[in-house]
Amino acid sequence: MDAATGLDSLFAFDNTYARLPDAFFARLAPPPAAAPQLVIVNEQLAQQLGLDPRLLASPGGIGVLSGKVLPYGAEPLAMVYAGHQFGHFVPQLGDGRAILLGEVIGRDGLRRDVQLKGCGPTPFSRRGDGRAALGPVLREYIISEAMAALGIPTTRSLAAVLTGEEVLREMPLPGAILTRVASSHIRVGTFQFFAARGDVDGVRRLADYVIARHYPEVGRAANRYRAMLDCVIERQARLIAQWMLLGFIHGVMNTDNMAISGETIDYGPCAFMDTYEPATVFSSIDRMGRYAYNNQPSIAHWNLARLAETLIPLLGSDKEEGLIEARAAIDAYPSKYEAAYLAGVRRKLGLLQERPDDLALAQDLLDRMAANKADFTLTFRQLCDAAVSVEVDAEVRRLFDAPAAFDGWAVKWRHRLASEGGNAVERRTSMRAVNPAYIPRNHRVEEAITAAVDEGRTSIFETLVQVTTAPFDDQPGSERYAEPPQSHQIVHQTFCGT
Ligand code: AMP
Ligand code: MG
């Protein structure tokens, strides 16, 4: 390592996962990319993590981001996990195309994993090549950064590089590596890996690690494993509520794609809805609609039950007691989810007070939107202005196939707003802080990816990232990014591209 370039101090790694027993991972150095080339460095995130963005973008930094140079302090490893994939249990999965370099402590004092995704095969690659194509890498970059800006807990994207190699999918495609940053990469499936082997010590070791890293507040609870489970359930309930409130569809909610930290993880065929249709499925591999938009809350419940099962031996003094604790924890999920959803939907509608029929009011709007193919994001965004001026109703009604469908609801809504009083301008401001103007719409994501992959042009990608990472701002000149697709632009299917 050349000290003169400053690379030695690029990451101040402080690794803890690498201290866990060997059964938790496989150590290996990332295979070097042939001819790496930088696509993007996330300067803001780099700064948040205490990293020098210029150094990251330097030839030495690009070497690190592409696996060519192992940075000082890295202890590269691939994590092992298991998981239910579309309901079927697979006892061993693991990082098949990702290598954890190590952990850094950000300026905010929080510990985060730094991982190279798409850098080549690992012992867990099974039949895969361990690589990633540029398209899915850009897709994850765009969507994860937009999610973060929308205030949704998520893994982040620190950088993307081209490897200079081709990966073979249906056709040869440019290979790329995403540098992913996460609170941790521990999944429901990580617990399942040890539980499936009857390795109670492994489960306990993992749970203790998770408590120390993610839920230190439960450390002293009488039943600390139950307290940890409650915390994970709470975070997941809130996460899924946020997805639902913003029209996000994950697409592959397998238990190995559910993070214990409560962050959104593993962006594959995910997408935001344009028109509000609760049964929407984009993923080409989700033929039964298991992970449809409106199934997400109950799928999360199911996944969390799988997590609870792994903890049964730790939850009580015997199996029966453990089962009772597990069940009680899991049974609390629906009310946690509903509370998070209801609080969020109140903010979306500008309801300052809590009233018993709030959910019915929201559902009535959603039903009318569904029946009239209204654009999800635009309807709520324009509602912010309608809260101040009835004249804006014209804009909202236009989004409904039968505009009168909005009118019937608007009367009830206004009646409710009037009855609780409050300042209309303040209401608009608070509504605008939760109802985005800009989401990474599928047709824009496709457009950005196509230009980058087919023509090597990344300017559309960069613009899209810029626009969607300020989702709540009016951005004069960027209006077309707020618009729904025209009929010929609609993207009906998304692919994980692995
Ligand atoms: P996913 O559905 O993308 O979360 O991936 C499920 C599993 O397949 C994980 O264990 C991944 O590491 C693995 N995997 C996905 N794509 C590849 C690939 N190209 N090469 C090797 N393993 C992969
Ligand atoms: Mg995954």
Side-chain angles (χ1 to χ4, degrees), residues 79 81-82 85-86 92-98 117-118 120-122 124-133 167 169 180 187 250 252 254 256-257 265-269 285 496-498:
M79 293 167 66
Y81 49 84
Q85 300 192 305
F86 290 91
Q92 184 175 314
L93 292 162
D95 292 332
R97 52 163 168 167
K117 185 172 171 185
T122 77
F124 309 123
S125 296
R126 296 178 295 162
R127 283 177 298 278
D129 59 4
R131 316 233 168 234
V167 297
R169 296 297 179 253
R180 177 162 73 176
R187 305 144 191 271
H250 182 284
V252 204
N254 293 335
D256 52 305
N257 292 339
I265 193 171
D266 279 8
Y267 291 88
I285 54 171
C496 35
T498 54

